[in-house]
Amino acid sequence: FQYYSPELTSSARERLKIESDLRKAVVRSELELFYQPKVDLVTGEMVGAEALMRWRHPTRGLVPPDQFISIAEDTGLILGMGEWALHTAFAATQKWNEHAAKPLKIAVNLSPKQFYNNDLVATVYAAMEATGCKPEWIELEITESLLLNDPTDIRATLQRLHHMGISIAIDDFGTGYSSLSYLARFPVNVLKIDRSFIRELT
């Protein structure tokens, strides 16, 4: 139990307001993707980018993901938002790479909900078909916590995506409870080590 305080009501009211606004955001096309570049440190060339979802609220301005992604996860809104992100990122990737000498690989983050609540492989395939984006231009990012839940089903889905030619990346590796042995069991192409392990490196 917890003793009542006005902050509890205020927090709950704020969460409900964000949820209500977020439902409208999807319809009103207020969501945007920002592309964070990935650079080869040896050559200095841009080799790809990571698509990051942002919400441009009409009165709040640019809302950072830590203020709305968890609510989208809890309410199931993340499914529609995730599908929109795939189509939007794939369309941008196709446009950039259509005549590029060195194609860029664009990473898109996936929510665990997308693995459990819909046919993720069919959703990804449909987005590629609709945009003309090639699988070798795509990298799908998952969190390591996903590997701990129903690993057989998750592995099967990841293998299907891998066989399509799509790269699989694990984000923030080392912060959860998975071990290096997981890397031999799943079709992982890219390992993103959490910043806490490299922050003190010169």
Side-chain angles (χ1 to χ4, degrees):
F1 71 92
Q2 183 172 351
Y3 288 108
Y4 174 77
S5 67
E7 289 77 18
L8 292 174
T9 299
S10 176
S11 176
R13 186 182 295 118
E14 175 68 6
R15 181 180 173 87
L16 285 173
K17 183 70 170 70
I18 291 177
E19 179 185 337
S20 175
D21 288 353
L22 192 56
R23 291 182 185 279
K24 300 171 186 174
V26 178
V27 178
R28 296 175 178 174
S29 301
E30 294 172 2
L31 299 177
E32 299 179 15
L33 288 184
F34 285 20
Y35 295 90
Q36 179 174 282
K38 296 181 179 181
V39 177
D40 186 322
L41 294 180
V42 176
T43 64
E45 288 184 312
M46 180 176 168
V47 295
E50 179 180 353
L52 303 172
M53 189 180 293
R54 296 293 184 266
W55 176 16
R56 196 172 294 280
H57 193 279
T59 57
R60 297 171 184 261
L62 202 59
V63 183
D66 60 353
Q67 292 184 17
F68 70 89
I69 291 295
S70 62
I71 296 176
E73 293 266 4
D74 293 342
T75 58
L77 288 171
I78 197 67
L79 293 176
M81 293 164 63
E83 187 171 347
W84 169 85
L86 288 171
H87 276 266
T88 304
F90 289 5
T93 304
Q94 196 280 333
K95 183 177 180 180
W96 292 330
N97 289 342
E98 188 174 13
H99 302 295
K102 290 185 177 181
L104 301 174
K105 179 167 286 193
I106 306 301
V108 183
N109 291 279
L110 295 178
S111 161
K113 293 268 188 182
Q114 291 173 274
F115 282 83
Y116 299 123
N117 294 70
N118 66 348
D119 189 342
L120 177 60
V121 176
T123 301
V124 171
Y125 183 80
M128 289 194 301
E129 285 286 292
T131 60
C133 184
K134 296 181 180 179
E136 59 266 28
W137 298 342
I138 303 167
E139 184 174 285
L140 297 179
E141 286 195 12
I142 62 173
T143 58
E144 65 170 336
S145 61
L146 186 67
L147 306 183
L148 302 176
N149 303 317
D150 297 324
T152 302
D153 292 338
I154 298 300
R155 183 163 60 242
T157 300
L158 292 177
Q159 285 175 340
R160 289 174 66 191
L161 293 169
H162 181 73
H163 289 152
M164 289 165 61
I166 296 171
S167 295
I168 305 297
I170 299 181
D171 198 9
D172 296 334
F173 186 81
T175 57
Y177 296 98
S178 61
S179 65
L180 289 172
S181 64
Y182 277 81
L183 303 183
R185 297 166 52 190
F186 294 89
V188 177
N189 304 94
V190 178
L191 196 62
K192 297 179 68 177
I193 300 172
D194 186 70
R195 70 177 66 185
S196 61
F197 293 98
I198 61 172
R199 185 178 292 120
E200 303 303 323
L201 292 179
T202 58

